[in-house]
Amino acid sequence: MEINELKEQLKQQIINALNLEDLTPADIDDAAPLFGEGLGLDSIDALELLMVLDKNYGIKFHDRSQSKAVFASINAMAEYIEANRTK
Amino acid sequence: MRSIRFNGFTSISSGIKENNEMISAISDNIMSPLGLTTEENLRAVRAGRTALMKHEDVHGARLQESVVGSFFEELPAIEGYTAFEALCIRSVECALQGKDIDVSSKSCVFIVSTTKGNIWSSPADSAKKVAMYFGNEVQPIVVSTACTSGVSAQLTAWRLLIAKKFDTAVIVGCDVQSEFIVSGFQSFKALSDEQCRPFDKERKGLNAGEAAATLVLSSKVKGEWQLLGGSIHNDANHISGPSRTAEGSWRCLEDMKRLTDAEDLAMVSVHGTGTLYNDEMESLALHRAGLDRLPVSALKGYYGHTMGAAGLLETILSMHALDEDIILPSKGYTEQGTTYGVNLSQTERQSCGKSFIKLLSGFGGVNAAVAWTKAEAGNCGELQADRSKWEEVAEVRLSSSDNLKEIYKTAIGNYPKFYKMDTLAQLGFVGTELLLQKAGAEAESETTAIVMANHSASLKNDTDYEATISDKENYFPSPALFVYTLPNIVTGEIAIRQHIYGETAFYVLPSEDKLDVLIEATGMNPSVKTMITGWVECVAADNYTAHLRLLKRE
């Protein structure tokens, strides 16, 4: 899958999993931080994102501190998925 | 506008002190994997025993991921009763053994403290079966305020006894562990894969535990320990994460300081779950309240987190330890792991003082504390009962024909968190918004209480969460769904939105009319000036009803 296609797919998965009803994939900036100001996500969203990665890409984090860097932005997530996906 | 006159409301203007009302503990029981009586449990803890061990299954249900927990090898069985009900019954039975306590009397109320009960049936129905088992026909009350339930239940009992609604309260706290609960905590990454280490530098999380504990309170018979009262405060911060500034727990401790004589205070029995953030929060709460030099007792290293039983189990054990003039050791603690030091010890210590505080905190941002003493003259001056009347200033009714999302979009808006809530929370949230709009009022942070109830607890969301774990080939427990499997989360969502640091409570009852006496009881808290009350029932995404009222003290 092409990386841009992956990013679009990922954005839709995030919107669905985190119930970001007022947003469309176009509203999410590839480089903007996902946490903090950005999308207003919180700690439960972070846990739910772990599940999104596990469910859709077969990626499990054994060290949670590692996930922080991965959740930095859509770009960071897409790159990590490309390199580590098992499905 | 109309004036509220609660059924059986008696207008006694004087406080407790003048009435010389005393609420005593007259019997108790702890039934846990460490022992089936309070004495056995005390002995086990003093001997340093723990029931925490690695399990691959919970009561026969195989887990996807092993867990360290404290589970009964065999749960009690009584024909016609669920394991949860049977465990409650055996604990109450044990507490009553050899005691001359008439629990079948109309002046005795059963109060059940639980977070999940049976899961698939209303805990109100289970409570009724438990009360009926003992020949008690009074409608029982289920307190369901997440991990604080066991302390909130003590405060509810205290108020009902002070108000002379009853003279005896049998409070039983219980939760039975299951794949449902364990998988949820796993999805929250809240569990330690070792025995938990409350407040320690190396702590990694909590352990799941199960137990039942019973405490019988009386206003008629005097016992050695007196319940001085209690306090509940919301963090108004987050539904699962504790306040970084310990808003709720700190307020609870300040209230308890006013109830107790500082020189008499032997210790604080803390929650001490062993999670990174909650232990940190509690250490800050103690520090802010100036209580950080007081000995502290944390018992989760022996039992894990026994959920609905924790508040009662830890209160009872604290009383019996102080009867032996000791502070119980805290297993798992070796080195300070919180910003502010906590006066914990892994060895038993001599106690000094005749009073203690029991503190808990839980999901939904709720914090609760009670204070107990065996000093001759309890200093129970300030948190006396206020009996002034309440007036209804607004009322809102919602039903399945009202589209919550549409109401949010047209009448509320600009709060994206709304979409993340389960239907029960959305129902309470929308109802409260409309209620305040109707009254043209904003909720005052410190003096507003939220009291809600229903019959089905979190049934609709329990079903949704269960769907994420029912297929073993497609097993992805959702933390965002799990958090809403506690019905009191609706009160937390409202507290966050309205910035309410006051009392939040959730009850599970057979019908709405049974809520009035509990609203009245909450109104006894003199610091409460406004109450947002509501019957919020949600059995399916398209089957819900709500009746909310905004009450003000006259």
Side-chain angles (χ1 to χ4, degrees), chain A residues 3-61:
Chain A
I3 186 101
N4 283 334
E5 203 183 320
L6 172 64
K7 284 180 194 171
E8 285 308 297
Q9 179 187 300
L10 183 60
K11 285 179 190 175
Q12 195 56 58
Q13 285 163 348
I14 291 174
I15 287 170
N16 294 345
L18 308 187
N19 294 308
L20 305 174
E21 293 226 359
D22 290 336
L23 296 183
T24 65
D27 297 324
I28 306 177
D29 185 344
D30 290 358
L34 288 172
F35 287 83
E37 279 307 292
L39 302 177
L41 306 186
D42 71 0
S43 55
I44 301 177
D45 295 315
L47 293 165
E48 204 69 19
L49 280 184
L50 290 176
M51 203 194 68
V52 168
L53 291 187
D54 188 4
K55 193 174 183 171
N56 300 300
Y57 306 102
I59 295 172
K60 284 187 200 295
F61 285 95

Short mmCIF file of all heavy atoms in Angstrom, two decimals, chain A residues 3-61:
data_model
loop_
_atom_site.label_atom_id
_atom_site.label_comp_id
_atom_site.label_asym_id
_atom_site.label_seq_id
_atom_site.Cartn_x
_atom_site.Cartn_y
_atom_site.Cartn_z
N ILE A 3 2.07 4.97 0.85
CA ILE A 3 2.06 5.61 2.17
C ILE A 3 0.92 6.62 2.34
O ILE A 3 0.31 6.69 3.40
CB ILE A 3 3.44 6.23 2.51
CG1 ILE A 3 3.48 6.77 3.96
CG2 ILE A 3 3.81 7.37 1.56
CD1 ILE A 3 4.16 5.88 4.92
N ASN A 4 0.60 7.35 1.27
CA ASN A 4 -0.49 8.32 1.39
C ASN A 4 -1.84 7.63 1.57
O ASN A 4 -2.71 8.10 2.30
CB ASN A 4 -0.53 9.23 0.16
CG ASN A 4 0.55 10.29 0.25
OD1 ASN A 4 0.99 10.64 1.35
ND2 ASN A 4 1.01 10.76 -0.90
N GLU A 5 -1.97 6.51 0.89
CA GLU A 5 -3.19 5.72 1.04
C GLU A 5 -3.30 5.20 2.47
O GLU A 5 -4.37 5.21 3.09
CB GLU A 5 -3.11 4.55 0.05
CG GLU A 5 -4.44 3.96 -0.33
CD GLU A 5 -4.26 2.77 -1.26
OE1 GLU A 5 -3.37 2.84 -2.15
OE2 GLU A 5 -4.96 1.78 -1.04
N LEU A 6 -2.17 4.75 2.99
CA LEU A 6 -2.13 4.26 4.37
C LEU A 6 -2.52 5.38 5.34
O LEU A 6 -3.30 5.16 6.28
CB LEU A 6 -0.73 3.73 4.70
CG LEU A 6 -0.46 3.36 6.16
CD1 LEU A 6 -1.35 2.20 6.61
CD2 LEU A 6 1.01 2.96 6.37
N LYS A 7 -2.02 6.57 5.11
CA LYS A 7 -2.34 7.70 5.99
C LYS A 7 -3.84 8.00 5.98
O LYS A 7 -4.44 8.23 7.03
CB LYS A 7 -1.56 8.95 5.56
CG LYS A 7 -0.08 8.92 5.96
CD LYS A 7 0.63 10.18 5.50
CE LYS A 7 2.13 10.01 5.59
NZ LYS A 7 2.85 11.12 4.95
N GLU A 8 -4.44 7.98 4.79
CA GLU A 8 -5.87 8.24 4.68
C GLU A 8 -6.67 7.18 5.42
O GLU A 8 -7.60 7.48 6.17
CB GLU A 8 -6.31 8.26 3.20
CG GLU A 8 -5.90 9.51 2.45
CD GLU A 8 -6.33 10.79 3.17
OE1 GLU A 8 -7.53 11.00 3.33
OE2 GLU A 8 -5.44 11.57 3.58
N GLN A 9 -6.26 5.94 5.22
CA GLN A 9 -6.93 4.82 5.88
C GLN A 9 -6.80 4.93 7.40
O GLN A 9 -7.76 4.76 8.15
CB GLN A 9 -6.29 3.52 5.39
CG GLN A 9 -6.87 2.26 6.00
CD GLN A 9 -6.07 1.03 5.58
OE1 GLN A 9 -5.95 0.72 4.41
NE2 GLN A 9 -5.52 0.34 6.56
N LEU A 10 -5.61 5.29 7.84
CA LEU A 10 -5.33 5.43 9.28
C LEU A 10 -6.19 6.54 9.89
O LEU A 10 -6.77 6.37 10.97
CB LEU A 10 -3.84 5.73 9.45
CG LEU A 10 -3.30 5.85 10.87
CD1 LEU A 10 -3.52 4.55 11.65
CD2 LEU A 10 -1.81 6.18 10.85
N LYS A 11 -6.27 7.65 9.17
CA LYS A 11 -7.08 8.78 9.68
C LYS A 11 -8.54 8.36 9.87
O LYS A 11 -9.16 8.69 10.88
CB LYS A 11 -7.01 9.96 8.71
CG LYS A 11 -5.69 10.71 8.76
CD LYS A 11 -5.72 11.84 7.73
CE LYS A 11 -4.34 12.46 7.56
NZ LYS A 11 -4.37 13.48 6.49
N GLN A 12 -9.06 7.62 8.89
CA GLN A 12 -10.45 7.18 9.00
C GLN A 12 -10.61 6.21 10.17
O GLN A 12 -11.59 6.27 10.91
CB GLN A 12 -10.90 6.53 7.67
CG GLN A 12 -12.41 6.38 7.56
CD GLN A 12 -13.17 7.70 7.74
OE1 GLN A 12 -12.95 8.67 7.02
NE2 GLN A 12 -14.06 7.76 8.75
N GLN A 13 -9.62 5.34 10.33
CA GLN A 13 -9.68 4.39 11.46
C GLN A 13 -9.65 5.14 12.80
O GLN A 13 -10.35 4.78 13.75
CB GLN A 13 -8.50 3.40 11.39
CG GLN A 13 -8.70 2.33 10.32
CD GLN A 13 -7.42 1.62 9.94
OE1 GLN A 13 -6.32 2.04 10.31
NE2 GLN A 13 -7.54 0.52 9.21
N ILE A 14 -8.84 6.17 12.88
CA ILE A 14 -8.75 6.96 14.13
C ILE A 14 -10.07 7.68 14.40
O ILE A 14 -10.59 7.66 15.51
CB ILE A 14 -7.57 7.95 14.06
CG1 ILE A 14 -6.24 7.18 14.07
CG2 ILE A 14 -7.61 8.96 15.21
CD1 ILE A 14 -5.01 8.04 13.87
N ILE A 15 -10.61 8.28 13.34
CA ILE A 15 -11.89 9.00 13.50
C ILE A 15 -12.98 8.05 13.99
O ILE A 15 -13.73 8.36 14.92
CB ILE A 15 -12.30 9.67 12.17
CG1 ILE A 15 -11.41 10.89 11.92
CG2 ILE A 15 -13.77 10.07 12.17
CD1 ILE A 15 -11.52 11.51 10.54
N ASN A 16 -13.01 6.86 13.41
CA ASN A 16 -14.03 5.88 13.82
C ASN A 16 -13.79 5.39 15.24
O ASN A 16 -14.71 5.35 16.06
CB ASN A 16 -14.05 4.68 12.87
CG ASN A 16 -14.50 5.06 11.48
OD1 ASN A 16 -15.07 6.15 11.28
ND2 ASN A 16 -14.26 4.19 10.52
N ALA A 17 -12.55 5.01 15.54
CA ALA A 17 -12.26 4.41 16.84
C ALA A 17 -12.42 5.42 17.97
O ALA A 17 -12.84 5.07 19.07
CB ALA A 17 -10.85 3.83 16.85
N LEU A 18 -12.08 6.67 17.72
CA LEU A 18 -12.12 7.67 18.79
C LEU A 18 -13.37 8.55 18.74
O LEU A 18 -13.48 9.52 19.48
CB LEU A 18 -10.86 8.55 18.75
CG LEU A 18 -9.50 7.83 18.73
CD1 LEU A 18 -8.36 8.83 18.87
CD2 LEU A 18 -9.41 6.79 19.84
N ASN A 19 -14.31 8.17 17.87
CA ASN A 19 -15.57 8.92 17.75
C ASN A 19 -15.35 10.41 17.56
O ASN A 19 -15.93 11.24 18.25
CB ASN A 19 -16.44 8.69 18.99
CG ASN A 19 -16.90 7.26 19.10
OD1 ASN A 19 -17.45 6.71 18.15
ND2 ASN A 19 -16.66 6.65 20.24
N LEU A 20 -14.49 10.74 16.61
CA LEU A 20 -14.24 12.15 16.33
C LEU A 20 -15.23 12.61 15.26
O LEU A 20 -14.88 12.92 14.14
CB LEU A 20 -12.79 12.35 15.84
CG LEU A 20 -11.70 11.80 16.76
CD1 LEU A 20 -10.32 11.90 16.14
CD2 LEU A 20 -11.70 12.54 18.11
N GLU A 21 -16.51 12.65 15.66
CA GLU A 21 -17.60 12.82 14.69
C GLU A 21 -17.56 14.10 13.89
O GLU A 21 -18.03 14.15 12.77
CB GLU A 21 -18.94 12.70 15.41
CG GLU A 21 -19.19 11.32 15.94
CD GLU A 21 -20.58 10.80 15.62
OE1 GLU A 21 -21.36 11.54 15.01
OE2 GLU A 21 -20.86 9.66 15.99
N ASP A 22 -17.02 15.16 14.48
CA ASP A 22 -17.03 16.43 13.77
C ASP A 22 -15.90 16.54 12.75
O ASP A 22 -15.80 17.54 12.05
CB ASP A 22 -16.92 17.59 14.77
CG ASP A 22 -18.20 17.74 15.60
OD1 ASP A 22 -19.26 17.29 15.11
OD2 ASP A 22 -18.14 18.28 16.71
N LEU A 23 -15.04 15.53 12.68
CA LEU A 23 -13.87 15.60 11.81
C LEU A 23 -13.98 14.71 10.58
O LEU A 23 -14.64 13.69 10.61
CB LEU A 23 -12.61 15.20 12.59
CG LEU A 23 -12.18 16.07 13.78
CD1 LEU A 23 -10.87 15.55 14.35
CD2 LEU A 23 -12.02 17.53 13.37
N THR A 24 -13.28 15.11 9.53
CA THR A 24 -13.09 14.25 8.36
C THR A 24 -11.58 14.08 8.21
O THR A 24 -10.81 14.86 8.79
CB THR A 24 -13.64 14.90 7.08
OG1 THR A 24 -12.86 16.08 6.82
CG2 THR A 24 -15.10 15.28 7.22
N PRO A 25 -11.12 13.06 7.45
CA PRO A 25 -9.68 12.86 7.30
C PRO A 25 -8.97 14.14 6.85
O PRO A 25 -7.85 14.41 7.26
CB PRO A 25 -9.59 11.76 6.23
CG PRO A 25 -10.83 10.95 6.44
CD PRO A 25 -11.88 11.97 6.81
N ALA A 26 -9.64 14.96 6.04
CA ALA A 26 -9.01 16.18 5.54
C ALA A 26 -8.68 17.17 6.66
O ALA A 26 -7.79 18.01 6.52
CB ALA A 26 -9.93 16.84 4.52
N ASP A 27 -9.40 17.04 7.79
CA ASP A 27 -9.15 17.97 8.91
C ASP A 27 -7.89 17.62 9.69
O ASP A 27 -7.46 18.41 10.53
CB ASP A 27 -10.34 17.94 9.89
CG ASP A 27 -11.62 18.44 9.25
OD1 ASP A 27 -11.52 19.36 8.42
OD2 ASP A 27 -12.70 17.90 9.57
N ILE A 28 -7.37 16.41 9.47
CA ILE A 28 -6.22 16.00 10.27
C ILE A 28 -4.93 16.23 9.47
O ILE A 28 -4.74 15.65 8.41
CB ILE A 28 -6.33 14.52 10.70
CG1 ILE A 28 -7.67 14.29 11.42
CG2 ILE A 28 -5.16 14.13 11.61
CD1 ILE A 28 -7.93 12.84 11.84
N ASP A 29 -4.09 17.07 10.01
CA ASP A 29 -2.81 17.43 9.38
C ASP A 29 -1.81 16.29 9.62
O ASP A 29 -1.64 15.84 10.75
CB ASP A 29 -2.33 18.74 10.02
CG ASP A 29 -1.07 19.27 9.36
OD1 ASP A 29 -0.41 18.50 8.62
OD2 ASP A 29 -0.75 20.45 9.58
N ASP A 30 -1.16 15.85 8.54
CA ASP A 30 -0.23 14.72 8.65
C ASP A 30 0.89 14.96 9.66
O ASP A 30 1.37 14.04 10.31
CB ASP A 30 0.44 14.44 7.29
CG ASP A 30 -0.54 13.86 6.30
OD1 ASP A 30 -1.71 13.67 6.70
OD2 ASP A 30 -0.15 13.62 5.15
N ALA A 31 1.32 16.22 9.78
CA ALA A 31 2.50 16.51 10.60
C ALA A 31 2.14 17.04 11.99
O ALA A 31 2.99 17.10 12.87
CB ALA A 31 3.38 17.52 9.89
N ALA A 32 0.86 17.38 12.19
CA ALA A 32 0.47 18.00 13.47
C ALA A 32 0.45 16.96 14.60
O ALA A 32 0.17 15.79 14.37
CB ALA A 32 -0.91 18.63 13.33
N PRO A 33 0.78 17.40 15.83
CA PRO A 33 0.74 16.47 16.95
C PRO A 33 -0.68 15.96 17.21
O PRO A 33 -1.64 16.73 17.13
CB PRO A 33 1.24 17.29 18.14
CG PRO A 33 1.19 18.71 17.72
CD PRO A 33 1.21 18.74 16.23
N LEU A 34 -0.83 14.66 17.47
CA LEU A 34 -2.15 14.08 17.71
C LEU A 34 -2.64 14.42 19.11
O LEU A 34 -3.83 14.60 19.35
CB LEU A 34 -2.11 12.56 17.53
CG LEU A 34 -1.96 12.04 16.11
CD1 LEU A 34 -1.73 10.54 16.12
CD2 LEU A 34 -3.21 12.37 15.30
N PHE A 35 -1.68 14.47 20.06
CA PHE A 35 -2.07 14.74 21.45
C PHE A 35 -1.79 16.19 21.80
O PHE A 35 -1.19 16.93 21.02
CB PHE A 35 -1.37 13.77 22.39
CG PHE A 35 -1.96 12.40 22.30
CD1 PHE A 35 -1.55 11.52 21.30
CD2 PHE A 35 -2.98 12.02 23.14
CE1 PHE A 35 -2.14 10.28 21.17
CE2 PHE A 35 -3.58 10.77 23.02
CZ PHE A 35 -3.15 9.89 22.03
N GLY A 36 -2.20 16.56 22.99
CA GLY A 36 -2.03 17.95 23.40
C GLY A 36 -3.13 18.76 22.72
O GLY A 36 -4.27 18.32 22.65
N GLU A 37 -2.82 19.90 22.19
CA GLU A 37 -3.82 20.79 21.60
C GLU A 37 -4.53 20.14 20.41
O GLU A 37 -5.73 20.02 20.41
CB GLU A 37 -3.16 22.10 21.16
CG GLU A 37 -2.98 23.07 22.31
CD GLU A 37 -4.27 23.33 23.09
OE1 GLU A 37 -5.18 23.94 22.52
OE2 GLU A 37 -4.37 22.89 24.26
N GLY A 38 -3.74 19.68 19.47
CA GLY A 38 -4.20 19.09 18.22
C GLY A 38 -5.65 18.64 18.18
O GLY A 38 -6.57 19.45 18.00
N LEU A 39 -5.90 17.35 18.38
CA LEU A 39 -7.25 16.81 18.27
C LEU A 39 -7.95 16.72 19.63
O LEU A 39 -9.06 16.21 19.72
CB LEU A 39 -7.19 15.41 17.63
CG LEU A 39 -6.56 15.32 16.25
CD1 LEU A 39 -6.51 13.89 15.78
CD2 LEU A 39 -7.33 16.17 15.25
N GLY A 40 -7.26 17.18 20.65
CA GLY A 40 -7.86 17.12 21.99
C GLY A 40 -7.98 15.71 22.51
O GLY A 40 -8.90 15.37 23.24
N LEU A 41 -7.04 14.86 22.15
CA LEU A 41 -7.11 13.46 22.59
C LEU A 41 -6.58 13.33 24.03
O LEU A 41 -5.77 14.12 24.48
CB LEU A 41 -6.28 12.57 21.66
CG LEU A 41 -6.62 12.65 20.17
CD1 LEU A 41 -5.83 11.59 19.41
CD2 LEU A 41 -8.11 12.46 19.93
N ASP A 42 -7.05 12.30 24.73
CA ASP A 42 -6.60 12.11 26.11
C ASP A 42 -6.05 10.69 26.31
O ASP A 42 -5.84 9.95 25.35
CB ASP A 42 -7.73 12.43 27.09
CG ASP A 42 -8.84 11.39 27.07
OD1 ASP A 42 -8.74 10.41 26.30
OD2 ASP A 42 -9.80 11.54 27.84
N SER A 43 -5.83 10.33 27.57
CA SER A 43 -5.17 9.06 27.87
C SER A 43 -5.99 7.84 27.43
O SER A 43 -5.43 6.82 27.05
CB SER A 43 -4.85 8.97 29.36
OG SER A 43 -6.03 9.17 30.11
N ILE A 44 -7.31 7.95 27.47
CA ILE A 44 -8.14 6.82 27.04
C ILE A 44 -8.01 6.66 25.52
O ILE A 44 -7.94 5.55 25.00
CB ILE A 44 -9.62 6.98 27.44
CG1 ILE A 44 -9.74 7.10 28.96
CG2 ILE A 44 -10.47 5.81 26.94
CD1 ILE A 44 -11.14 7.34 29.47
N ASP A 45 -7.93 7.80 24.81
CA ASP A 45 -7.73 7.75 23.36
C ASP A 45 -6.41 7.07 23.02
O ASP A 45 -6.31 6.31 22.06
CB ASP A 45 -7.75 9.16 22.77
CG ASP A 45 -9.11 9.82 22.92
OD1 ASP A 45 -10.12 9.16 22.64
OD2 ASP A 45 -9.16 11.00 23.32
N ALA A 46 -5.38 7.35 23.83
CA ALA A 46 -4.07 6.73 23.59
C ALA A 46 -4.18 5.22 23.72
O ALA A 46 -3.64 4.46 22.90
CB ALA A 46 -3.05 7.27 24.58
N LEU A 47 -4.93 4.76 24.72
CA LEU A 47 -5.13 3.31 24.91
C LEU A 47 -5.91 2.73 23.73
O LEU A 47 -5.62 1.63 23.26
CB LEU A 47 -5.88 3.05 26.22
CG LEU A 47 -5.12 3.39 27.51
CD1 LEU A 47 -6.08 3.43 28.69
CD2 LEU A 47 -4.01 2.38 27.77
N GLU A 48 -6.89 3.48 23.28
CA GLU A 48 -7.71 3.02 22.16
C GLU A 48 -6.87 2.97 20.87
O GLU A 48 -7.07 2.07 20.04
CB GLU A 48 -8.92 3.96 22.02
CG GLU A 48 -10.13 3.36 21.34
CD GLU A 48 -10.86 2.27 22.12
OE1 GLU A 48 -10.70 2.17 23.35
OE2 GLU A 48 -11.60 1.49 21.48
N LEU A 49 -5.94 3.89 20.73
CA LEU A 49 -5.05 3.87 19.55
C LEU A 49 -4.16 2.63 19.55
O LEU A 49 -3.87 2.06 18.50
CB LEU A 49 -4.17 5.12 19.52
CG LEU A 49 -4.78 6.42 19.00
CD1 LEU A 49 -3.73 7.52 18.94
CD2 LEU A 49 -5.40 6.22 17.61
N LEU A 50 -3.74 2.21 20.75
CA LEU A 50 -2.94 0.98 20.85
C LEU A 50 -3.75 -0.18 20.25
O LEU A 50 -3.23 -1.04 19.56
CB LEU A 50 -2.60 0.66 22.31
CG LEU A 50 -1.60 1.57 23.02
CD1 LEU A 50 -1.47 1.16 24.49
CD2 LEU A 50 -0.24 1.52 22.34
N MET A 51 -5.05 -0.15 20.58
CA MET A 51 -5.92 -1.21 20.08
C MET A 51 -6.10 -1.13 18.56
O MET A 51 -6.14 -2.15 17.89
CB MET A 51 -7.27 -1.11 20.79
CG MET A 51 -8.03 -2.40 20.81
SD MET A 51 -9.72 -2.09 21.26
CE MET A 51 -10.30 -1.18 19.84
N VAL A 52 -6.19 0.08 18.04
CA VAL A 52 -6.31 0.28 16.59
C VAL A 52 -5.11 -0.35 15.88
O VAL A 52 -5.26 -1.06 14.88
CB VAL A 52 -6.41 1.79 16.25
CG1 VAL A 52 -6.23 2.03 14.75
CG2 VAL A 52 -7.75 2.35 16.71
N LEU A 53 -3.92 -0.12 16.43
CA LEU A 53 -2.71 -0.66 15.81
C LEU A 53 -2.66 -2.17 15.90
O LEU A 53 -2.24 -2.85 14.96
CB LEU A 53 -1.46 -0.06 16.48
CG LEU A 53 -1.19 1.42 16.22
CD1 LEU A 53 0.14 1.83 16.79
CD2 LEU A 53 -1.22 1.72 14.72
N ASP A 54 -3.10 -2.71 17.03
CA ASP A 54 -3.11 -4.15 17.23
C ASP A 54 -4.11 -4.81 16.28
O ASP A 54 -3.79 -5.75 15.54
CB ASP A 54 -3.45 -4.44 18.70
CG ASP A 54 -3.30 -5.91 19.06
OD1 ASP A 54 -2.86 -6.70 18.20
OD2 ASP A 54 -3.63 -6.27 20.21
N LYS A 55 -5.33 -4.26 16.29
CA LYS A 55 -6.43 -4.84 15.52
C LYS A 55 -6.19 -4.79 14.01
O LYS A 55 -6.40 -5.77 13.31
CB LYS A 55 -7.70 -4.06 15.87
CG LYS A 55 -9.00 -4.69 15.44
CD LYS A 55 -10.14 -3.84 16.00
CE LYS A 55 -11.48 -4.45 15.68
NZ LYS A 55 -12.56 -3.75 16.41
N ASN A 56 -5.75 -3.64 13.52
CA ASN A 56 -5.65 -3.45 12.07
C ASN A 56 -4.29 -3.80 11.47
O ASN A 56 -4.21 -4.13 10.30
CB ASN A 56 -5.99 -2.01 11.71
CG ASN A 56 -7.40 -1.64 12.13
OD1 ASN A 56 -8.36 -2.25 11.69
ND2 ASN A 56 -7.50 -0.67 13.02
N TYR A 57 -3.25 -3.72 12.30
CA TYR A 57 -1.91 -3.92 11.73
C TYR A 57 -1.09 -4.97 12.48
O TYR A 57 0.08 -5.19 12.17
CB TYR A 57 -1.15 -2.58 11.70
CG TYR A 57 -1.93 -1.51 10.98
CD1 TYR A 57 -2.62 -0.52 11.69
CD2 TYR A 57 -2.02 -1.51 9.58
CE1 TYR A 57 -3.36 0.45 11.03
CE2 TYR A 57 -2.76 -0.53 8.92
CZ TYR A 57 -3.43 0.44 9.65
OH TYR A 57 -4.17 1.39 8.99
N GLY A 58 -1.69 -5.57 13.50
CA GLY A 58 -0.99 -6.61 14.25
C GLY A 58 0.25 -6.09 14.99
O GLY A 58 1.21 -6.82 15.18
N ILE A 59 0.18 -4.84 15.42
CA ILE A 59 1.32 -4.26 16.14
C ILE A 59 1.00 -4.19 17.63
O ILE A 59 -0.02 -3.63 18.03
CB ILE A 59 1.64 -2.84 15.62
CG1 ILE A 59 2.11 -2.92 14.16
CG2 ILE A 59 2.69 -2.16 16.49
CD1 ILE A 59 2.27 -1.57 13.49
N LYS A 60 1.88 -4.79 18.43
CA LYS A 60 1.69 -4.76 19.89
C LYS A 60 2.85 -4.00 20.52
O LYS A 60 4.00 -4.18 20.13
CB LYS A 60 1.66 -6.17 20.46
CG LYS A 60 0.35 -6.91 20.21
CD LYS A 60 0.37 -8.24 20.97
CE LYS A 60 -0.65 -9.22 20.40
NZ LYS A 60 -2.05 -8.81 20.57
N PHE A 61 2.54 -3.18 21.50
CA PHE A 61 3.59 -2.48 22.24
C PHE A 61 3.77 -3.14 23.60
O PHE A 61 2.81 -3.26 24.35
CB PHE A 61 3.21 -1.02 22.45
CG PHE A 61 3.36 -0.19 21.21
CD1 PHE A 61 2.28 0.04 20.38
CD2 PHE A 61 4.58 0.36 20.88
CE1 PHE A 61 2.41 0.79 19.23
CE2 PHE A 61 4.72 1.13 19.74
CZ PHE A 61 3.63 1.34 18.91
#
